[in-house]
Every structure is written in structure tokens, then in C-alpha cells.
């Protein structure tokens, strides 16, 4: 399922990672390189399955670990209310 950042969350690029600013609470969230790669792919429309497969090909990580890492990041972003699933378009 697609993912988008909430309207009050700002994404800032750093040299090797991403920082998210939660404008509602004034809190910063720093993502490491792997988490940044996952989030960029999610925001570009990739599925968790596609991301996990890509990670396991490019990083020294098993497919199962890549899936757990991807799922954990999605869960954390949703729980922290930094991201949301976009509404389905009306038909």
C-alpha cells in the first residue's frame, strides 16, 4: 500500500541520511542510510516487497531481514504519525 508523509512533516536531505521534522510537535527524526533508502522508495511508489528484494540484492542482509526492516520502518512512521496511507481516489 502506498505511503506519503503527513502534510505537517518536512523531509530534509543530509549527506548520507534523511531528517524528518514533525511540525506539530517540533520533533526531529533522523533516519540512517538504510531507512532513508526505504523511505525514498516508499515515497516513489515502490511496494514493501520490491524494496525488500532490492535491499537484499544491494546490502549484506538476508531477504527476511530486509522485509523485517522495511516493515518495522513503515510501522514506526505510521505509529509516530509521520506518514500515512493516501486516501483512495473517488470512483
Amino acid at each position: 500500500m502506498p505511503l506519503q508523509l503527513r502534510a505537517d512533516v518536512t523531509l530534509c536531505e543530509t549527506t548520507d541520511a534523511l531528517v524528518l521534522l514533525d511540525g506539530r510537535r517540533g520533533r526531529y527524526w533522523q533516519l540512517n542510510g538504510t531507512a532513508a533508502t526505504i523511505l525514498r522508495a516508499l515515497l516513489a511508489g515502490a511496494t514493501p516487497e520490491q524494496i525488500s528484494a532490492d535491499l537484499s540484492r544491494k546490502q549484506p542482509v538476508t531477504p527476511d531481514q530486509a522485509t523485517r526492516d522495511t516493515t518495522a520502518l513503515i510501522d514506526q512512521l505510521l505509529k509516530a504519525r509521520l506518514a500515512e496511507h493516501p486516501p483512495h481516489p473517488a470512483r
Side-chain angles (χ1 to χ4, degrees), residues 19-90:
V19 175
L20 303 177
L21 170 61
D22 180 348
R24 292 165 302 161
R25 296 185 186 104
R27 292 186 65 190
Y28 287 93
W29 298 75
Q30 185 170 349
L31 304 181
N32 66 22
T34 300
T37 298
I38 294 168
L39 180 57
R40 285 184 190 107
L42 288 167
L43 296 176
T47 66
E49 294 80 12
Q50 292 168 327
I51 296 166
S52 298
D54 192 47
L55 281 177
S56 65
R57 280 191 306 271
K58 295 179 179 177
Q59 302 289 331
V61 63
T62 66
D64 287 341
Q65 185 62 52
T67 298
R68 285 192 301 273
D69 291 347
T70 301
T71 301
L73 179 64
I74 293 168
D75 291 345
Q76 290 169 355
L77 292 169
L78 293 171
K79 184 177 178 182
R81 298 183 50 105
L82 297 171
E84 62 190 2
H85 298 291
H88 295 290

